[in-house]
Amino acid sequence: MDIAASPSPATLTASEARRQIRAGGLTPLALTQACLARIAGRDRAVRAWITVNPAVEAQAAAVVAEDPRPLAGIPVGIKDMIETAELPTTHNSPLYGTNRPANDAPCVEILKAAGALVLGKLDTSEFAAGGRHAATVNPHDLTRIPGGSSSGSAAAVADGHVPLALGTQTGGSTIRPAAYCGVTALKPSWGLISTEGVKRYAVSFDTVGLFARAVEDLQLLADVFNLPEAPAAAPGRLRLGLCRTPYFDRAEPETVAMFDQLEGLLAPVADLVPFEAPEGFGEADELHRCVMHCEGAAAFLNLVRTRGTLLHDDFHDRVELRNGYTQRQHYEAYDRLALMRIALEKRMAGVDAVLAPSAPGYAPQYVEGVRPRENPLFNACWTAMQVPVLNLPVMGPGDHLPLGVSVIGPRAEDRRVLAIGARLAGLLDRRGAAG
């Protein structure tokens, strides 16, 4: 589904919409109504939304063009395991079907303070961890998955329902669905956006993710969330490290072919050089899984003890550590990952940023209605490093499905990653080019 062909305001980027609102060519109400119309026309098929805010039109009508706030009048979608006071937060779980939090999560409060309008809640895997899958499908091909766990967030932005959305990432739950759905997304450096009011899974990795249609929009959100300033890349040509990762033998043919083409695609602005990950990086995925499951044992213990009969077996497995990990291994994994982060950032000093695959390949298809298992292999290693990761869609004018490239930098250099991504985005996403 190519939303660029649609003249509806719902398909604008947030930055374009904000400029039109300020110029008087678009009202927040007209933008909101266009988004609601798109949802009404498409969401029966895409199934991105759990709840739509019944008061959002009245809220939009109250925003004036002169409002100086950076997101004034811009609709946003919120993953439904992030607390919202005006809408239920169900976690896609039978345990929380009527849950009404008393307060917004801080990340939602910050968006509202910037003038954003909460359009509604977006579908997710249960507790963004396992159990029930989101009902959402991929808007490019309804027979394919959108990626999880931020399924609704990626699909809603991709299909023109909303210009911005919040998701989360503990393994690959922002970057992988962004790649499968062909949208721009940032997994910020760990700890820069508060996860208070967001269902915890593994506190060493849990990160609020940002979905948008353009890097410019993510730069706007970087201002809203007060992400730290970072040194700019040196002027002139970029020097980018190409990291196929130790897992590249698991990449699908389309990703292998795309990586072979990157040097030519990016030749106008960048020189690509091989980037070797630190020694032992092939273990990062397993170390990540150990920490994630062991921290998950604490995160879901209360549900096992109090409402275990309604809780999916996935969460019993985590609490009982049926995966074979021990809590002692959990602490040993902390230490090994800490040393690996130091080694990685020393190697990053030789390049402006690192490029790596965002997913194994195209979004997988459902098989006889059954959702295939997803592989976070190309994401979890970077999540374990706690570094910022930007997904850039890779799609030509004749392509049916998107791929994704991750742009990665050192911790707290999210803005530098975004600035580099802004220089690369138009060379990789060529959907608007003449075919």
Side-chain angles (χ1 to χ4, degrees), residues 287 331-344 384-386 411:
L287 295 172
Y331 290 105
E332 292 169 352
Y334 277 156
D335 295 342
R336 292 171 68 186
L337 288 172
L339 294 173
M340 206 175 290
R341 291 178 195 123
I342 296 169
L344 173 67
M385 297 296 98
Q386 300 178 341
R411 289 166 293 180

Side-chain angles (χ1 to χ4, degrees), residues 328-364:
R328 178 60 195 173
Q329 289 173 322
H330 166 204
Y331 290 105
E332 292 169 352
Y334 277 156
D335 295 342
R336 292 171 68 186
L337 288 172
L339 294 173
M340 206 175 290
R341 291 178 195 123
I342 296 169
L344 173 67
E345 292 196 349
K346 285 182 178 178
R347 296 193 179 206
M348 283 182 168
V351 294
D352 291 307
V354 173
L355 305 181
S358 289
Y362 295 134

Side-chain angles (χ1 to χ4, degrees), residues 368-425:
E368 296 181 353
V370 177
R371 185 185 180 114
R373 290 182 63 86
E374 295 187 65
N375 189 346
L377 195 65
F378 291 113
N379 315 115
C381 54
W382 304 113
T383 305
M385 297 296 98
Q386 300 178 341
V387 293
V389 183
L390 168 69
N391 178 69
L392 294 178
V394 182
M395 198 170 183
D399 293 343
H400 174 56
L401 293 169
L403 294 167
V405 164
S406 289
V407 185
I408 303 155
R411 289 166 293 180
E413 296 195 4
D414 304 53
R415 287 182 187 266
R416 176 187 173 105
V417 167
L418 290 173
I420 291 170
R423 296 179 63 183
L424 307 181

Side-chain angles (χ1 to χ4, degrees), residues 186-424:
L186 178 70
K187 195 288 294 179
S189 300
W190 176 80
L192 293 186
I193 299 178
S194 172
T195 56
E196 180 186 349
V198 180
K199 177 57 183 169
R200 304 284 173 79
Y201 177 10
V203 294
S204 296
F205 306 136
D206 292 341
T207 307
V208 173
L210 311 175
F211 290 86
R213 297 195 188 119
V215 176
E216 182 184 18
D217 291 356
L218 295 176
Q219 291 171 317
L220 178 60
L221 288 173
D223 291 338
V224 168
F225 284 105
N226 200 31
L227 299 188
E229 295 296 333
R237 293 182 65 79
L238 295 167
R239 178 179 170 86
L240 302 176
L242 192 65
C243 185
R244 296 175 188 265
T245 79
Y247 317 112
F248 204 67
D249 60 342
R250 305 279 290 277
E252 299 293 340
E254 58 268 21
T255 291
V256 175
M258 181 263 287
F259 259 68
D260 288 342
Q261 296 166 7
L262 278 180
E263 185 172 9
L265 290 172
L266 299 179
V269 299
D271 296 314
L272 271 58
V273 297
F275 182 88
E276 293 297 327
E279 183 178 354
F281 197 70
E283 299 177 75
D285 179 69
E286 181 65 23
L287 295 172
H288 169 274
R289 190 176 297 108
C290 175
V291 173
M292 182 176 67
H293 282 271
C294 289
E295 290 187 345
F300 299 111
L301 178 61
N302 66 309
L303 299 181
V304 166
R305 293 283 175 82
T306 61
R307 286 171 277 180
T309 57
L310 291 176
L311 192 65
H312 194 282
D313 282 347
D314 278 356
F315 304 104
H316 289 272
D317 288 345
R318 283 159 176 74
V319 168
E320 296 170 22
L321 291 176
R322 294 174 185 167
N323 42 48
Y325 298 119
T326 68
Q327 291 293 3
R328 178 60 195 173
Q329 289 173 322
H330 166 204
Y331 290 105
E332 292 169 352
Y334 277 156
D335 295 342
R336 292 171 68 186
L337 288 172
L339 294 173
M340 206 175 290
R341 291 178 195 123
I342 296 169
L344 173 67
E345 292 196 349
K346 285 182 178 178
R347 296 193 179 206
M348 283 182 168
V351 294
D352 291 307
V354 173
L355 305 181
S358 289
Y362 295 134
Q365 287 186 296
Y366 293 90
V367 180
E368 296 181 353
V370 177
R371 185 185 180 114
R373 290 182 63 86
E374 295 187 65
N375 189 346
L377 195 65
F378 291 113
N379 315 115
C381 54
W382 304 113
T383 305
M385 297 296 98
Q386 300 178 341
V387 293
V389 183
L390 168 69
N391 178 69
L392 294 178
V394 182
M395 198 170 183
D399 293 343
H400 174 56
L401 293 169
L403 294 167
V405 164
S406 289
V407 185
I408 303 155
R411 289 166 293 180
E413 296 195 4
D414 304 53
R415 287 182 187 266
R416 176 187 173 105
V417 167
L418 290 173
I420 291 170
R423 296 179 63 183
L424 307 181

Side-chain angles (χ1 to χ4, degrees), residues 17 20 23 28 50 84 100 108 123 131 145 154 182 204 222 240 323 401 427:
Q20 290 192 25
I50 288 181
T84 48
R100 293 294 296 261
V108 176
D123 209 352
I145 67 171
S204 296
L240 302 176
N323 42 48
L401 293 169
L427 300 172

Side-chain angles (χ1 to χ4, degrees), residues 98-172:
T98 59
N99 179 46
R100 293 294 296 261
N103 299 294
D104 291 319
C107 59
V108 176
E109 286 188 313
I110 290 166
L111 289 175
K112 286 182 168 183
L117 307 170
V118 174
L119 191 62
K121 304 299 287 291
L122 292 156
D123 209 352
T124 173
S125 304
E126 190 170 357
F127 299 117
R132 301 199 304 187
H133 294 296
T136 313
V137 297
N138 194 306
H140 292 274
D141 181 343
L142 303 182
T143 71
R144 294 177 184 267
I145 67 171
S149 62
S150 302
S151 306
S153 301
V157 172
D159 201 44
H161 303 188
V162 70
L164 301 173
L166 293 187
T168 61
Q169 180 157 312
T170 304

